[in-house]
Amino acid sequence: MSKKKYHVETLAIHAGQEIEPNTLARAVPVYRTTAYNFKSSQHGADLFALKELGNIYSRLMNPTNDVLEKRIAELEGGAAALTLSSGTAAIYFTITNILKQGDELVSASNLYGGTFTQFDAILPNQGITVRFTPVNDFKAVEAAINSKTRAIFIETIGNPVLDVSDIEGYAKIAKKHNLPLIVDSTFTTPTLLRPIEYGANIVIHSLSKWINGHGTGIGGIVVDDGKFNWKDPKFALFNEPDGGYHGLRFAQDLPEPLAPLAFVLRLRTVGLRNQGPTLSPDAAWLFLQGVESLPLRMERHSSNALKAAEFLKKHPKVSWVRYPGLKDDPANELTKKYLPNGAGGMVVFGLKAGTEAGIKLVDNIKLFSILANVGDAKSLIIHPASTTHSQLDSESQKKGGLHPELVRLSIGLEHIDDIIGALDDALKLV
Ligand SMILES: *Cc1c(COP(=O)(O)O)cnc(C)c1O
């Protein structure tokens, strides 16, 4: 498959699958098995000692998940990937695969609500300090980096104000300090943006959103570019003997073909094996279904969202609209560079009449579902300040750029005239 360089649309349908030789099943089968037979005790011993790679137990690896991992890794231009039980788990286990007690993370402050809380309230309890900096403020990033910093974290399009990250700018700083750049690319997916091409080292997705595409499952994935230098002794988890793995030093002792995969191998053999955030193969199968049509769907999400944003922009009751694809949006210069094929499905706006009017619109709009999700085929609406981001105090909401009146839309795949019609009708009521 990977010998020839196929386009994204082709990889989305074919990458990572080899037809299973006994059944010749064309679709990827769901391997509902907990464990796998060893050919002999010696075979089992070799698998456990990593002398040979192969299936042992489904907490660690599963052939359905394996196809999804290979497919997303190829789509991202990465070396390998690992699925986890949720996007949230993918972020948590990525951070704790690199940082230990006493280490620090520098993160953009415009984050998905759950990620902000993980960084702001959970990681500090484990002795990991997170220093938040305003998105694309590279002076602040430089100032936040010190001898304890071990990684930089950003989202491609930040929550909830939809600023576009200047990935190359972050990558330059990360490289200078030999820090891995971790990018949550959930809002853009590999069909609109491939952060590794701009210098990211680790790309994370919540599979629950556009990759699934139909609001039917929770999952996450981490892609490793396979190029980061983990031999730097400041990465203690990669250079000190691992007590859980026969004293293995992941950056030093792996045989040559596996050496570039130190990050993702450690994530699998330490994070997944001993902490257990495994994705079920049934969910992996749903995400494989989603990936096949992802390029088509992202195109339509993006064109529908642009039209909805243009409609709102012109509406007399609307005070402001943010959509990175709008020509006069503050993020539009970065959009031209990073998102030439579409700026995704999210639109946010505020009403001149303020917060209460926004909530009234949410409560009265037809067609849109009020719920805390994004990336469904169905159009979705929510008032973040009172829901998804309500665990943040108003100071933190402001730091993340969340206006109290902001209404968030995840534009679906319905006919654009129906989407705009629903917005128009709801605006008449406020
Ligand atoms: C949804 C989401 C997450 C969390 O993913 P779950 O699968 O819901 O755990 C993280 N980051 C972003 C940008 C998201 O949209």
Side-chain angles (χ1 to χ4, degrees), residues 86-88 91 112 115 184 186-187 206 208-209 218-219:
S86 68
T88 302
I91 293 167
Y112 179 76
T115 306
D184 179 337
T186 302
F187 274 35
S206 166
S208 326
K209 311 296 170 54
I218 300 284

PDB file of all heavy atoms in Angstrom, residues 86-88 91 112 115 184 186-187 206 208-209 218-219, ligand 1:
ATOM      1  N   SER A  86     -10.311   7.345  24.625  1.00  0.00           N
ATOM      2  CA  SER A  86     -10.960   8.634  24.360  1.00  0.00           C
ATOM      3  C   SER A  86      -9.887   9.641  23.951  1.00  0.00           C
ATOM      4  O   SER A  86      -8.688   9.406  24.161  1.00  0.00           O
ATOM      5  CB  SER A  86     -11.685   9.147  25.619  1.00  0.00           C
ATOM      6  OG  SER A  86     -10.746   9.486  26.619  1.00  0.00           O
ATOM      7  N   GLY A  87     -10.330  10.759  23.406  1.00  0.00           N
ATOM      8  CA  GLY A  87      -9.391  11.833  23.114  1.00  0.00           C
ATOM      9  C   GLY A  87      -8.739  12.343  24.395  1.00  0.00           C
ATOM     10  O   GLY A  87      -7.550  12.670  24.429  1.00  0.00           O
ATOM     11  N   THR A  88      -9.525  12.384  25.447  1.00  0.00           N
ATOM     12  CA  THR A  88      -9.016  12.844  26.743  1.00  0.00           C
ATOM     13  C   THR A  88      -7.904  11.925  27.245  1.00  0.00           C
ATOM     14  O   THR A  88      -6.866  12.393  27.723  1.00  0.00           O
ATOM     15  CB  THR A  88     -10.178  12.882  27.754  1.00  0.00           C
ATOM     16  OG1 THR A  88     -11.190  13.753  27.235  1.00  0.00           O
ATOM     17  CG2 THR A  88      -9.723  13.373  29.114  1.00  0.00           C
ATOM     18  N   ILE A  91      -4.688  12.479  25.304  1.00  0.00           N
ATOM     19  CA  ILE A  91      -3.929  13.644  25.764  1.00  0.00           C
ATOM     20  C   ILE A  91      -3.229  13.318  27.090  1.00  0.00           C
ATOM     21  O   ILE A  91      -2.022  13.510  27.241  1.00  0.00           O
ATOM     22  CB  ILE A  91      -4.857  14.868  25.914  1.00  0.00           C
ATOM     23  CG1 ILE A  91      -5.362  15.302  24.537  1.00  0.00           C
ATOM     24  CG2 ILE A  91      -4.138  16.023  26.619  1.00  0.00           C
ATOM     25  CD1 ILE A  91      -6.521  16.280  24.561  1.00  0.00           C
ATOM     26  N   TYR A 112      -9.749  23.096  24.470  1.00  0.00           N
ATOM     27  CA  TYR A 112     -10.956  22.333  24.745  1.00  0.00           C
ATOM     28  C   TYR A 112     -11.169  22.328  26.265  1.00  0.00           C
ATOM     29  O   TYR A 112     -10.205  22.162  27.025  1.00  0.00           O
ATOM     30  CB  TYR A 112     -10.726  20.921  24.206  1.00  0.00           C
ATOM     31  CG  TYR A 112     -11.860  19.974  24.431  1.00  0.00           C
ATOM     32  CD1 TYR A 112     -13.017  20.043  23.657  1.00  0.00           C
ATOM     33  CD2 TYR A 112     -11.777  18.987  25.406  1.00  0.00           C
ATOM     34  CE1 TYR A 112     -14.054  19.161  23.865  1.00  0.00           C
ATOM     35  CE2 TYR A 112     -12.811  18.094  25.615  1.00  0.00           C
ATOM     36  CZ  TYR A 112     -13.951  18.191  24.848  1.00  0.00           C
ATOM     37  OH  TYR A 112     -14.978  17.324  25.051  1.00  0.00           O
ATOM     38  N   THR A 115      -9.660  19.540  28.355  1.00  0.00           N
ATOM     39  CA  THR A 115      -8.194  19.558  28.351  1.00  0.00           C
ATOM     40  C   THR A 115      -7.687  20.634  29.300  1.00  0.00           C
ATOM     41  O   THR A 115      -6.733  20.417  30.059  1.00  0.00           O
ATOM     42  CB  THR A 115      -7.664  19.820  26.922  1.00  0.00           C
ATOM     43  OG1 THR A 115      -8.247  18.865  26.041  1.00  0.00           O
ATOM     44  CG2 THR A 115      -6.154  19.705  26.877  1.00  0.00           C
ATOM     45  N   ASP A 184      -3.054  18.944  19.185  1.00  0.00           N
ATOM     46  CA  ASP A 184      -4.401  18.369  19.127  1.00  0.00           C
ATOM     47  C   ASP A 184      -5.047  18.879  17.847  1.00  0.00           C
ATOM     48  O   ASP A 184      -5.345  20.066  17.714  1.00  0.00           O
ATOM     49  CB  ASP A 184      -5.199  18.803  20.366  1.00  0.00           C
ATOM     50  CG  ASP A 184      -6.626  18.253  20.368  1.00  0.00           C
ATOM     51  OD1 ASP A 184      -7.159  17.928  19.287  1.00  0.00           O
ATOM     52  OD2 ASP A 184      -7.222  18.180  21.465  1.00  0.00           O
ATOM     53  N   THR A 186      -7.892  17.694  16.403  1.00  0.00           N
ATOM     54  CA  THR A 186      -9.273  17.198  16.308  1.00  0.00           C
ATOM     55  C   THR A 186     -10.135  18.051  15.373  1.00  0.00           C
ATOM     56  O   THR A 186     -10.914  17.528  14.585  1.00  0.00           O
ATOM     57  CB  THR A 186      -9.914  17.185  17.710  1.00  0.00           C
ATOM     58  OG1 THR A 186      -9.118  16.359  18.561  1.00  0.00           O
ATOM     59  CG2 THR A 186     -11.331  16.659  17.683  1.00  0.00           C
ATOM     60  N   PHE A 187     -10.001  19.384  15.470  1.00  0.00           N
ATOM     61  CA  PHE A 187     -10.895  20.286  14.733  1.00  0.00           C
ATOM     62  C   PHE A 187     -10.587  20.342  13.238  1.00  0.00           C
ATOM     63  O   PHE A 187     -11.383  20.872  12.474  1.00  0.00           O
ATOM     64  CB  PHE A 187     -10.828  21.708  15.312  1.00  0.00           C
ATOM     65  CG  PHE A 187     -11.771  21.934  16.471  1.00  0.00           C
ATOM     66  CD1 PHE A 187     -12.043  20.924  17.383  1.00  0.00           C
ATOM     67  CD2 PHE A 187     -12.399  23.160  16.656  1.00  0.00           C
ATOM     68  CE1 PHE A 187     -12.909  21.119  18.452  1.00  0.00           C
ATOM     69  CE2 PHE A 187     -13.266  23.382  17.723  1.00  0.00           C
ATOM     70  CZ  PHE A 187     -13.522  22.359  18.616  1.00  0.00           C
ATOM     71  N   SER A 206      -9.212  13.483  19.027  1.00  0.00           N
ATOM     72  CA  SER A 206     -10.393  12.815  19.548  1.00  0.00           C
ATOM     73  C   SER A 206     -11.067  12.197  18.331  1.00  0.00           C
ATOM     74  O   SER A 206     -11.497  12.902  17.418  1.00  0.00           O
ATOM     75  CB  SER A 206     -11.335  13.808  20.222  1.00  0.00           C
ATOM     76  OG  SER A 206     -12.589  13.168  20.417  1.00  0.00           O
ATOM     77  N   SER A 208     -13.782  10.807  18.448  1.00  0.00           N
ATOM     78  CA  SER A 208     -15.219  10.933  18.699  1.00  0.00           C
ATOM     79  C   SER A 208     -15.889  11.999  17.829  1.00  0.00           C
ATOM     80  O   SER A 208     -17.112  12.042  17.749  1.00  0.00           O
ATOM     81  CB  SER A 208     -15.449  11.303  20.169  1.00  0.00           C
ATOM     82  OG  SER A 208     -14.496  10.710  21.023  1.00  0.00           O
ATOM     83  N   LYS A 209     -15.122  12.866  17.229  1.00  0.00           N
ATOM     84  CA  LYS A 209     -15.664  14.028  16.538  1.00  0.00           C
ATOM     85  C   LYS A 209     -15.750  13.756  15.040  1.00  0.00           C
ATOM     86  O   LYS A 209     -16.435  12.843  14.626  1.00  0.00           O
ATOM     87  CB  LYS A 209     -14.809  15.257  16.867  1.00  0.00           C
ATOM     88  CG  LYS A 209     -14.542  15.425  18.373  1.00  0.00           C
ATOM     89  CD  LYS A 209     -15.797  15.677  19.173  1.00  0.00           C
ATOM     90  CE  LYS A 209     -15.577  15.596  20.674  1.00  0.00           C
ATOM     91  NZ  LYS A 209     -14.519  16.436  21.207  1.00  0.00           N
ATOM     92  N   ILE A 218     -16.816   6.985  21.277  1.00  0.00           N
ATOM     93  CA  ILE A 218     -15.755   7.747  21.939  1.00  0.00           C
ATOM     94  C   ILE A 218     -14.421   7.041  21.723  1.00  0.00           C
ATOM     95  O   ILE A 218     -14.319   5.824  21.910  1.00  0.00           O
ATOM     96  CB  ILE A 218     -16.023   7.831  23.463  1.00  0.00           C
ATOM     97  CG1 ILE A 218     -17.353   8.531  23.760  1.00  0.00           C
ATOM     98  CG2 ILE A 218     -14.864   8.501  24.197  1.00  0.00           C
ATOM     99  CD1 ILE A 218     -17.339  10.024  23.612  1.00  0.00           C
ATOM    100  N   GLY A 219     -13.413   7.804  21.312  1.00  0.00           N
ATOM    101  CA  GLY A 219     -12.085   7.226  21.136  1.00  0.00           C
ATOM    102  C   GLY A 219     -11.055   8.304  20.899  1.00  0.00           C
ATOM    103  O   GLY A 219     -11.393   9.460  20.627  1.00  0.00           O
TER     104      GLY A 219
HETATM  105  C1  LIG B   1     -13.621  16.257  22.149  1.00  0.00           C
HETATM  106  C2  LIG B   1     -12.267  16.812  22.198  1.00  0.00           C
HETATM  107  C3  LIG B   1     -11.307  16.274  23.069  1.00  0.00           C
HETATM  108  C4  LIG B   1     -11.632  15.147  24.010  1.00  0.00           C
HETATM  109  O1  LIG B   1     -11.955  13.971  23.316  1.00  0.00           O
HETATM  110  P1  LIG B   1     -12.967  12.851  23.928  1.00  0.00           P
HETATM  111  O2  LIG B   1     -12.915  11.808  22.863  1.00  0.00           O
HETATM  112  O3  LIG B   1     -14.292  13.494  24.095  1.00  0.00           O
HETATM  113  O4  LIG B   1     -12.371  12.411  25.212  1.00  0.00           O
HETATM  114  C5  LIG B   1     -10.039  16.832  23.062  1.00  0.00           C
HETATM  115  N1  LIG B   1      -9.730  17.856  22.256  1.00  0.00           N
HETATM  116  C6  LIG B   1     -10.619  18.404  21.402  1.00  0.00           C
HETATM  117  C7  LIG B   1     -10.201  19.534  20.535  1.00  0.00           C
HETATM  118  C8  LIG B   1     -11.917  17.898  21.345  1.00  0.00           C
HETATM  119  O5  LIG B   1     -12.799  18.446  20.511  1.00  0.00           O
END
